[in-house]
């Protein structure tokens, strides 16, 4: 019975193994590059959506300012024609942190006002263990933003996060829910 084995003199076998190894390395490199490009594209899309939210919020505020400058009779008519959002107060924004799976977190605005410039501070948690942590988000009432945070490399998850936003005197401290 003959067995097939690669011997030192079998150049074609060694060349095939070499090229197979190179092919595997190139494939892994391309997958990593594509993943980084997808993450960059996701980040750009998120920033564009947040910028659009800020523009819409600014337009609403400008409309309110213009209405306030109109004479009283016209102002009353304009107020009747346009449903105006209430004046913004930092205390009307309230936060809840949910954890739908082990590493995914959902920060919900359970208040009655839109929060602009939302930033989540994870304390000393390593940035390499996070993805898409809000840094300048706009979160309307009953809406949320998602981010990822992992415990690894000897770094446990923080027990709480600090959420700040435009108009808030100080950050809101939100407990990080346990998993499982």
């Amino acid at each position: 019975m003959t067995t097939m084995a690669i011997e030192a003199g079998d150049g074609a076998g060694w060349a095939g193994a070499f090229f197979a190894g190179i092919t595997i390395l190139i494939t892994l490199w391309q997958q990593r590059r594509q993943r980084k490009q997808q993450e960059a594209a996701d980040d750009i899309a998120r920033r564009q959506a947040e910028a659009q939210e800020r523009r819409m919020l600014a337009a609403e505020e400008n409309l309110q300012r213009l209405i306030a400058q109109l004479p009283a009779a016209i102002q009353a008519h304009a107020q009747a024609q346009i449903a105006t959002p209430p004046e913004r107060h930092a205390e009307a924004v309230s936060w809840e942190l949910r954890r739908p799976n082990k590493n995914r977190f959902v920060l919900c605005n359970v208040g009655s006002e839109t929060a602009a410039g939302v930033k989540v501070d994870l304390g000393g948690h390593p940035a390499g263990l996070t993805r898409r942590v809000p840094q300048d988000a706009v979160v309307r009432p009953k809406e949320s933003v998602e981010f990822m945070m992992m415990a690894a490399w000897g770094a446990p998850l923080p027990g709480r996060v600090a959420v700040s936003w435009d108009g808030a005197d100080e950050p809101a401290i939100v407990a990080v829910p346990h998993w499982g």
Side-chain angles (χ1 to χ4, degrees), residues 122 124-131 148-150 152-153:
L122 304 176
H125 196 68
L129 298 176
T130 63
R131 298 281 185 274
M148 188 185 83
M149 181 170 50
M150 296 185 298
W153 306 334

Side-chain angles (χ1 to χ4, degrees), residues 26-38:
I26 289 172
T27 301
L28 292 173
W29 174 76
Q30 287 177 337
Q31 286 176 343
R32 183 175 181 207
R33 193 182 79 185
Q34 287 175 346
R35 184 176 56 248
K36 285 184 178 183
Q37 288 174 344
Q38 183 62 46

Side-chain angles (χ1 to χ4, degrees), residues 88-98 106-120 134 136-147 161-177:
R88 295 168 40 108
H89 297 286
E91 59 272 4
V93 175
S94 183
W95 301 103
E96 181 179 292
L97 188 60
R98 299 179 185 146
V106 180
L107 179 66
C108 304
N109 178 356
V110 294
S112 60
E113 298 291 329
T114 298
V118 176
K119 178 181 178 185
V120 176
D136 189 24
V138 175
V139 187
R140 294 189 178 277
K142 311 303 180 228
E143 291 186 359
S144 60
V145 290
E146 291 187 17
F147 62 97
V161 297
V163 182
S164 57
W165 64 98
D166 297 345
D169 294 333
E170 58 186 51
I173 305 302
V174 182
V176 174

